[in-house]
Amino acid sequence: MTKEELALAVIDRLKKEYPDAGCTLDYNEAWKLLVSVRLAAQCTDARVNVVVEKLYEKYPDVNALADADVDDIEAIVRPCGLGRSKARDISACMKVLRDEYGGKVPDDFNALLKLPGVGRKSANLIMGDVFGKPAIVTDTHCIRLVNRIGLVDGIKEPKKVEMALWKLIPPEEGSDFCHRLVYHGRDICTARTKPRCSQCCLQDICEKNGVE
């Protein structure tokens, strides 16, 4: 089986296993997803979803958050870890959105990358989830699973994994595929315990089959 054939098989099986998989960060506006994805670094999505409720209660829009004191933002987001740097990035990002984009989130990948605190993973998430454009989100689950499955060979650098997957995953499938990898990585192909290979829908086509 070629890597291209393997990729299509994995996509098909994960679709059946997780038909409704989507972003696990709660948001109803694009700027809120920008905030949440920054807070999610080294923090669980579940905790982020709780913390942002307090943040948006006090600062309900881009302008309010852009005008907020960084110390006040930090006090709210501290439970997510790295509070100071995250608060600084969120404040700076909201100021750019307010001053350069009329409070809107740009739908251009390179423009997103220029926003404070936004890297390739975050920019891809926004492109795929908010704007419905092709996206490959190489988070820790994605990187771990595509190496285990055999779609990439010992590549751990996020950008290199992303570039390798662009060659294998049909563009229209990328965003949902990555969301399904998150679900699968949490439920079955776990990082901190032995993968539950006997329950895995990919067991017979996975290269590693639980052996690192």
Side-chain angles (χ1 to χ4, degrees):
M1 186 183 292
T2 66
K3 279 184 166 50
E4 289 79 7
E5 290 169 338
L6 177 60
L8 293 177
V10 171
I11 289 169
D12 183 61
R13 294 191 188 189
L14 291 181
K15 271 187 182 180
K16 292 172 181 173
E17 195 75 9
Y18 310 100
D20 301 317
C23 183
T24 52
L25 291 168
D26 294 338
Y27 71 98
N28 56 10
E29 295 179 72
W31 68 272
K32 291 182 178 179
L33 184 55
L34 265 181
V35 170
S36 288
V37 75
R38 180 65 188 95
L39 292 176
Q42 299 181 42
C43 181
T44 66
D45 289 0
R47 175 170 290 183
V48 171
N49 289 338
V50 172
V51 169
V52 292
E53 286 186 15
K54 299 176 184 176
L55 186 67
Y56 302 148
E57 188 176 306
K58 189 168 184 180
Y59 306 111
D61 54 43
V62 169
N63 289 339
L65 199 48
D67 291 337
D69 189 283
V70 173
D71 290 338
D72 293 336
I73 298 174
E74 182 185 0
I76 296 173
V77 305
R78 190 175 292 120
C80 294
L82 304 173
R84 190 62 183 171
S85 63
K86 290 179 179 180
R88 278 200 305 261
D89 283 343
I90 288 168
S91 176
C93 184
M94 294 302 110
K95 284 180 168 65
V96 173
L97 292 185
R98 178 194 64 192
D99 298 342
E100 297 184 24
Y101 296 101
K104 304 293 184 183
V105 175
D107 64 353
D108 176 79
F109 186 79
N110 290 321
L112 287 169
L113 284 180
K114 293 177 182 177
L115 295 174
V118 176
R120 296 189 68 86
K121 182 180 77 171
S122 302
N124 270 299
L125 185 66
I126 296 292
M127 292 298 285
D129 279 50
V130 174
F131 300 114
K133 296 186 177 182
I136 297 284
V137 182
T138 50
D139 65 359
T140 56
H141 291 292
C142 174
I143 294 169
R144 183 177 76 255
L145 267 63
V146 297
N147 273 282
R148 280 181 177 171
I149 294 165
L151 291 175
V152 302
D153 301 310
I155 305 173
K156 299 298 173 68
E157 186 182 320
K159 184 177 180 180
K160 289 182 178 179
V161 173
E162 179 192 334
M163 294 302 115
L165 291 179
W166 278 119
K167 298 175 182 177
L168 301 174
I169 308 298
E172 69 277 7
E173 299 285 359
S175 181
D176 288 341
F177 171 69
C178 292
H179 285 318
R180 292 185 175 105
L181 288 178
V182 171
Y183 280 69
H184 198 62
R186 289 175 179 170
D187 295 344
I188 303 295
C189 199
T190 54
R192 294 177 182 171
T193 61
K194 187 176 180 180
R196 294 154 59 188
C197 297
S198 63
Q199 300 174 44
C200 181
C201 62
L202 307 174
Q203 182 183 9
D204 59 313
I205 59 173
C206 176
E207 183 177 274
K208 296 294 198 304
N209 197 11
V211 180
E212 288 295 334

